[in-house]
Coordinates of all heavy atoms in Angstrom, one line a residue:
L279 N 20.9 27.6 -6.5 CA 21.7 26.9 -5.7 C 21.0 25.8 -4.9 O 21.4 24.6 -4.8 CB 22.6 27.7 -4.9 CG 24.1 27.2 -4.7 CD1 24.8 27.1 -6.0 CD2 24.8 28.1 -3.7
R280 N 20.0 26.2 -4.3 CA 19.2 25.3 -3.4 C 18.4 24.4 -4.2 O 18.2 23.2 -3.9 CB 18.2 26.0 -2.3 CG 19.0 26.8 -1.3 CD 18.0 27.3 -0.2 NE 18.7 27.8 0.8 CZ 19.0 29.2 0.9 NH1 18.5 30.1 0.0 NH2 19.6 29.7 2.0
D281 N 17.8 25.0 -5.3 CA 16.8 24.2 -6.1 C 17.4 23.1 -6.9 O 16.8 22.0 -7.0 CB 16.0 25.3 -7.0 CG 14.8 24.6 -7.8 OD1 14.1 23.9 -7.0 OD2 14.7 24.7 -8.9
M282 N 18.5 23.4 -7.4 CA 19.2 22.5 -8.4 C 20.5 21.9 -8.0 O 20.9 20.8 -8.2 CB 19.3 23.1 -9.8 CG 18.1 23.4 -10.5 SD 17.1 21.9 -11.0 CE 18.1 21.0 -11.9
F283 N 21.4 22.9 -7.5 CA 22.7 22.5 -7.3 C 22.9 21.6 -6.1 O 23.7 20.6 -6.2 CB 23.5 23.8 -7.1 CG 25.0 23.6 -7.1 CD1 25.9 23.5 -8.3 CD2 25.6 23.4 -5.9 CE1 27.1 23.4 -8.2 CE2 27.1 23.1 -5.8 CZ 27.7 23.0 -6.9
Q284 N 22.4 22.0 -5.0 CA 22.6 21.2 -3.7 C 22.2 19.8 -3.9 O 22.8 18.9 -3.3 CB 22.0 21.9 -2.5 CG 22.2 21.2 -1.2 CD 21.4 20.0 -0.9 OE1 20.3 19.9 -1.5 NE2 21.8 19.1 0.0
N285 N 21.2 19.4 -4.7 CA 20.7 18.1 -4.7 C 21.2 17.4 -6.1 O 22.0 16.7 -6.2 CB 19.2 18.1 -4.6 CG 18.5 19.3 -5.3 OD1 18.6 19.6 -6.3 ND2 17.9 20.2 -4.4
H286 N 20.4 17.9 -7.2 CA 20.6 17.2 -8.4 C 22.0 17.2 -9.0 O 22.6 16.2 -9.4 CB 19.7 17.8 -9.6 CG 18.2 17.8 -9.1 ND1 17.6 16.9 -8.4 CD2 17.3 18.8 -9.3 CE1 16.4 17.2 -8.2 NE2 16.2 18.3 -8.7
L287 N 22.6 18.4 -9.0 CA 23.9 18.6 -9.5 C 25.1 17.9 -8.6 O 26.0 17.3 -9.1 CB 24.2 20.0 -9.9 CG 23.3 20.5 -11.0 CD1 23.4 21.9 -11.2 CD2 23.7 19.7 -12.3
M288 N 24.9 18.1 -7.5 CA 25.9 17.4 -6.5 C 25.9 15.9 -6.5 O 26.8 15.2 -6.5 CB 25.6 17.7 -5.0 CG 25.9 19.2 -4.7 SD 27.6 19.7 -4.8 CE 28.2 19.3 -3.1
Q289 N 24.6 15.4 -6.9 CA 24.5 13.9 -7.1 C 25.3 13.4 -8.5 O 26.1 12.5 -8.4 CB 23.0 13.6 -7.3 CG 22.3 13.6 -6.0 CD 22.7 12.5 -5.1 OE1 23.3 11.5 -5.4 NE2 22.4 12.8 -3.8
I290 N 25.1 14.3 -9.4 CA 25.9 14.0 -10.7 C 27.4 14.1 -10.4 O 28.1 13.3 -10.7 CB 25.4 15.0 -11.8 CG1 24.0 14.8 -12.2 CG2 26.3 14.9 -13.0 CD1 23.4 15.7 -13.2
V291 N 27.7 15.2 -9.7 CA 29.2 15.4 -9.3 C 29.7 14.2 -8.6 O 30.8 13.7 -8.9 CB 29.4 16.7 -8.5 CG1 30.8 16.8 -7.9 CG2 29.1 17.9 -9.3
S292 N 28.9 13.7 -7.6 CA 29.4 12.6 -6.9 C 29.6 11.3 -7.7 O 30.6 10.5 -7.4 CB 28.4 12.3 -5.6 OG 27.3 11.6 -6.2
L293 N 28.8 11.1 -8.7 CA 29.0 10.0 -9.6 C 30.2 10.1 -10.5 O 30.9 9.1 -10.9 CB 27.8 9.7 -10.5 CG 26.5 9.4 -9.6 CD1 25.3 9.4 -10.5 CD2 26.7 8.0 -9.1
I294 N 30.7 11.4 -10.8 CA 31.8 11.5 -11.6 C 33.1 11.5 -10.8 O 34.1 10.9 -11.1 CB 31.7 13.0 -12.2 CG1 30.6 12.9 -13.2 CG2 33.1 13.3 -12.9 CD1 30.3 14.2 -13.9
V295 N 33.0 11.9 -9.5 CA 34.1 12.1 -8.6 C 34.4 10.8 -7.9 O 35.6 10.4 -7.6 CB 33.9 13.2 -7.6 CG1 34.9 13.1 -6.5 CG2 33.9 14.6 -8.2

Side-chain angles (χ1 to χ4, degrees):
L279 213 61
R280 288 189 179 94
D281 185 50
M282 292 296 302
F283 186 92
Q284 185 277 335
N285 38 61
H286 308 322
L287 292 172
M288 291 292 272
Q289 287 295 335
I290 295 177
V291 167
S292 74
L293 295 171
I294 295 177
V295 166

